[in-house]
């Protein structure tokens, strides 16, 4: 997984690949750009995640599901979440 990090001190934003259980490691070590401690935060990109989630549902259910999905979207709006179970 690739995560985005931001340093409050030098205002640098960068991406790093980490396993999910180690994703907060860069926030616990000094900034790789300016060496400041405790100034790194992990950024959250909810837009990217929901986009991937929608693709996952389509892949899981197959092509025939696309028409049903379209109807659900029309009825419930783009902000609704679709249960896979
Ligand atoms: Zn920094």
């Amino acid at each position: 997984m690739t995560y985005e990090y931001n340093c409050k001190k030098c205002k640098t934003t960068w991406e790093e690949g980490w396993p999910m259980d180690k994703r907060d490691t860069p926030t616990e070590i000094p900034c790789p750009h300016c060496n400041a401690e405790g100034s790194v935060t992990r950024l959250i990109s909810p837009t990217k995640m929901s986009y991937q989630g929608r693709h996952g549902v389509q892949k899981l259910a197959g092509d025939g599901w696309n028409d049903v999905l379209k109807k659900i979207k029309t009825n419930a709006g783009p902000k609704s979440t679709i249960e896979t179970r």
Side-chain angles (χ1 to χ4, degrees), residues 46-66:
T47 318
K48 251 187 223 171
M49 282 179 74
S50 65
Y51 181 74
Q52 280 171 354
R54 218 153 47 218
H55 267 272
V57 172
Q58 282 182 0
K59 220 176 186 180
L60 218 76
D63 286 333
W65 181 247
N66 282 352

Side-chain angles (χ1 to χ4, degrees), residues 6-12 14 30-36 39-40:
N6 175 259
C7 174
K8 280 183 282 186
K9 192 110 181 195
C10 63
K11 304 221 167 19
T12 306
W14 72 98
C31 168
H33 301 277
C34 71
N35 250 349
S39 65
V40 179

Side-chain angles (χ1 to χ4, degrees), residues 1-50:
M1 280 296 280
T2 304
Y3 297 96
E4 267 190 299
Y5 301 94
N6 175 259
C7 174
K8 280 183 282 186
K9 192 110 181 195
C10 63
K11 304 221 167 19
T12 306
T13 303
W14 72 98
E15 288 185 0
E16 270 184 55
W18 285 92
M20 198 183 267
D21 58 334
K22 296 245 166 51
R23 65 190 174 179
D24 282 328
T25 302
T27 68
E28 290 155 10
I29 58 174
C31 168
H33 301 277
C34 71
N35 250 349
E37 279 184 56
S39 65
V40 179
T41 51
R42 181 167 51 84
L43 302 179
I44 301 153
S45 328
T47 318
K48 251 187 223 171
M49 282 179 74
S50 65

Side-chain angles (χ1 to χ4, degrees), residues 56-75:
V57 172
Q58 282 182 0
K59 220 176 186 180
L60 218 76
D63 286 333
W65 181 247
N66 282 352
D67 287 338
V68 183
L69 209 65
K70 257 180 227 163
K71 276 178 204 162
I72 295 170
K73 262 189 220 167
T74 313
N75 290 337

